[in-house]
Amino acid sequence: MSDAPHAIVTGGAGFVGSHLVDSLLEDGFEVTSLDNFGSGRSANLEHIDTPRFESLEHDVREPFPDLGRVDYVFHFASRASPKDFESHAVEIALTNSEGTHNALEFARKNDARTVLASTSEVYGDPEVHPQHEEYNGNVNVRGPRAPYDESKRFSEALARAFQQQYDIDIRTVRIFNTYGPRMRPDDGRVIPNFLSQALRDDDLTIYGDGTQTRSFCYVSDLVSGIRSFADADPSVAAGEVINLGSTHEIEIRELAEVITEVLDTRSGTVHRESPEDDPQLRRPDLERAQSLLGWEPMVGLEDGIERTAEYFAEELESE
Ligand code: NAD
Ligand code: UDP
């Protein structure tokens, strides 16, 4: 192994994880991806051509293998699409509990700085808007989203427990809705659904009346925020939790309009039943990320949608 810093990325074959791997490799890191390829794809990593990268098939619910010297652990493994919250409920709950336990034990053994991927879902269907990091959230522990959002809350609590008991630096990012190339067309989240539908001239499926809001962040912006948080000096960032995402909040019915306009499609819209416990409003308060990191997202929604649509068009063509 060289002198380059060695980073482990769990979930490295997934959407966010593979972009994070690219960014670390560009900056000279050695990177090992651990992924079970459940929702990730080896195709997301096949463009990489450097001996500084290794992709291992590993389920984080099992203890991690010995990987030599490790400087950073980016723990990003977890299915994240609401479509999977029911069909893969137990897998998700255990990935974010047993899996996070294994990741944190591994980080402790290696004395590695850790970045834990949490989510805006820890705020549930929020009663405080926008959501700041001190808000404790409104989560239904018995609801259909609980396998994901409660287990992410447990991930965070376990990270705090490790910090309280052992002297390791764990930084938590609460990621708000992020989109971009390498999401799967059948992922089930709203932008992959709308783009796949628009590219086929099918109607866009709006769940409920479409007045619920989200704030969509392009993946390169998210990754730059994650990287600068990981690199920040421990005196300001050790053990911290920050929101990362976009503050450009729009209603889902407006998102449908943006996508039909940008893609110039013949698609209309069709309404479907609203999923139970669907959060009605979501927008991050980014004050902490801005003051700590000077970070804010740069890519506008239309621009990001265009870039993502190009990727989806290629994916759908090769199907
Ligand atoms: P994704 O499904 O594309 O990526 C998840 C990756 O984790 C996949 O490659 C999958 O195969 C892998 N994985 C899942 N369970 C695993 C297990 N038990 N062992 C090993 N690998 C496993 O989803 P994503 O959007 O890239 O999400 C990545 C992370 O970011 C997740 O932790 C997610 O909760 C978090 N996040 C994402 C968003 C978003 O909008 N994309 C928002 C909030 C949080
Ligand atoms: N949604 C929709 N049509 C779809 C998929 C999702 O209207 O085809 C809605 C969903 O009900 C939610 C929002 O879009 O209000 C964002 O859903 P997504 O699954 O992308 O992420 P979430 O923020 O719910 O985790």
Side-chain angles (χ1 to χ4, degrees), residues 237-255:
E240 272 293 347
V241 57
I242 58 164
N243 290 335
L244 289 179
S246 162
T247 51
H248 177 193
E249 180 182 9
I250 64 167
E251 293 185 350
I252 294 303
R253 59 185 181 181
E254 287 176 64
L255 174 70

Side-chain angles (χ1 to χ4, degrees), residues 11-17 34-41 58-61 75-80 91 95-96 117-120 148 152 175-179 183-184 187 189:
F15 159 54
V16 174
L34 298 183
D35 202 297
N36 69 356
F37 300 102
S39 54
R41 299 186 292 184
H58 179 80
D59 193 304
V60 296
R61 288 170 290 173
H75 181 42
F76 279 65
S78 170
R79 289 175 183 266
E91 178 196 309
T95 294
N96 289 313
S118 184
T119 166
S120 53
Y148 181 71
K152 284 288 188 180
I175 301 169
F176 284 63
N177 297 66
T178 298
Y179 70 100
M183 291 185 105
R184 287 175 296 129
D187 176 281
R189 283 177 275 187

Side-chain angles (χ1 to χ4, degrees), residues 139-254:
V139 172
N140 177 1
V141 68
R142 296 178 63 83
R145 302 173 88 90
Y148 181 71
D149 48 28
E150 279 296 343
S151 68
K152 284 288 188 180
R153 288 171 69 91
F154 176 75
S155 264
E156 286 204 29
L158 192 63
R160 291 294 291 167
F162 267 70
Q163 273 168 233
Q164 273 165 241
Q165 199 165 337
Y166 312 116
D167 185 24
I168 58 170
D169 180 353
I170 307 167
R171 307 172 181 200
T172 300
V173 283
R174 292 189 180 146
I175 301 169
F176 284 63
N177 297 66
T178 298
Y179 70 100
R182 302 191 195 147
M183 291 185 105
R184 287 175 296 129
D186 64 351
D187 176 281
R189 283 177 275 187
V190 67
I191 289 187
N193 275 7
F194 282 4
L195 285 178
S196 307
Q197 290 159 346
L199 287 163
R200 295 182 173 119
D201 289 329
D202 289 342
D203 289 343
L204 275 52
T205 51
I206 296 178
Y207 299 163
D209 65 4
T211 58
Q212 71 272 32
T213 69
R214 295 293 188 272
S215 312
F216 294 97
C217 182
Y218 190 68
V219 65
S220 57
D221 282 331
L222 175 74
V223 168
S224 80
I226 294 167
R227 291 292 317 282
S228 67
F229 189 40
D231 290 347
D233 194 85
S235 62
V236 293
E240 272 293 347
V241 57
I242 58 164
N243 290 335
L244 289 179
S246 162
T247 51
H248 177 193
E249 180 182 9
I250 64 167
E251 293 185 350
I252 294 303
R253 59 185 181 181
E254 287 176 64

Side-chain angles (χ1 to χ4, degrees), residues 70-124:
V70 174
D71 303 294
Y72 292 83
V73 174
F74 292 88
H75 181 42
F76 279 65
S78 170
R79 289 175 183 266
S81 171
K83 192 176 93 171
D84 291 342
F85 294 171
E86 193 172 327
S87 56
H88 293 77
V90 175
E91 178 196 309
I92 291 171
L94 293 180
T95 294
N96 289 313
S97 49
E98 281 180 0
T100 298
H101 183 212
N102 288 326
L104 295 176
E105 279 295 356
F106 178 79
R108 179 163 84 98
K109 200 170 81 197
N110 288 283
D111 196 20
R113 184 179 296 180
T114 300
V115 177
L116 173 68
S118 184
T119 166
S120 53
E121 290 277 331
V122 299
Y123 302 122

